[in-house]
Amino acid sequence: MSTRVKDVIGLVFRLVLAGVLGYAGLIKIFEEDGARLAVMAFRLFPVEWTSFLGWALPAAEILAAALLLAGLFTRWAALLAAVLMTAFVFGIASVWIRGYSIDCGCFGGGGDISAEGRHLRYTIDIVRDLALAGMAVWLVVRPRTMWSLDRVPVNQPAIDDVYSEDSERQV
């Protein structure tokens, strides 16, 4: 596979992740209860943590989305996205295994719902999050993409120029 094709694949993955994370984070951050109810529904954390996590998770999604959209600190933003997606997969799998019927709150909402269609809903959520985690891992391994601020050259003196300046001072 050519470098250009890999750069385009990276761009597509970067923009897809930025779009999904940005949309999910913005929807949740502007909800009245944020993601607090969704975090509570998973029954994984103490109730005292839900207010903080209900704010911190959407904030992390928005931060990762903004960095991915700009292509700035792509590897770190993708690592954050991969960690979030992996946590979401484990969270959804845990409620499925424990027999709970919840709306994951991935795109707002959240909380307990009817058991009807639970298996299909959880399967779709897990497959989606695994695909997004795979895109994020690609970007962690290969953060170089087209149209990325990471690719903008920084004006730094060449190493030869630094050494020649030091040797001139010593003379």
Side-chain angles (χ1 to χ4, degrees), residues 109-131:
D112 293 325
I113 57 173
S114 74
E116 188 176 328
R118 174 179 62 186
H119 299 300
L120 178 60
R121 188 174 56 252
Y122 288 159
T123 301
I124 290 169
D125 290 344
I126 287 172
V127 168
R128 179 201 58 229
D129 290 349
L130 285 173

Side-chain angles (χ1 to χ4, degrees), residues 6-7 16 27 30 41 51 73-74 78 98 117 122 127 130 133 139 141-143 158 167 171:
K6 290 178 184 176
D7 287 353
V16 167
I27 290 292
F30 287 114
S51 289
F73 303 112
T74 302
R98 292 180 288 151
Y122 288 159
V127 168
L130 285 173
L139 291 169
V141 172
R142 191 178 187 289
S167 44
V171 174

Side-chain angles (χ1 to χ4, degrees), residues 19-143:
V20 170
L21 288 169
Y23 177 74
L26 288 171
I27 290 292
K28 288 184 273 201
I29 207 117
F30 287 114
E31 278 186 343
E32 185 176 327
D33 260 337
R36 191 178 66 78
L37 293 177
V39 171
M40 225 185 254
F42 279 92
R43 299 166 180 94
L44 291 172
F45 300 101
V47 174
E48 300 83 36
W49 294 18
T50 58
S51 289
F52 171 74
L53 290 173
W55 173 86
L57 287 173
E61 290 172 330
I62 293 168
L63 173 65
L67 291 173
L68 287 167
L69 185 61
L72 188 61
F73 303 112
T74 302
R75 177 172 279 141
W76 293 106
L79 182 61
L80 175 58
V83 168
L84 286 171
M85 291 304 146
T86 302
F88 297 156
V89 166
F90 280 112
I92 294 166
S94 77
V95 295
W96 194 358
I97 290 167
R98 292 180 288 151
Y100 297 133
S101 297
I102 68 166
D103 174 2
C104 72
C106 302
F107 300 101
D112 293 325
I113 57 173
S114 74
E116 188 176 328
R118 174 179 62 186
H119 299 300
L120 178 60
R121 188 174 56 252
Y122 288 159
T123 301
I124 290 169
D125 290 344
I126 287 172
V127 168
R128 179 201 58 229
D129 290 349
L130 285 173
L132 292 169
M135 291 178 194
V137 167
W138 170 286
L139 291 169
V140 168
V141 172
R142 191 178 187 289

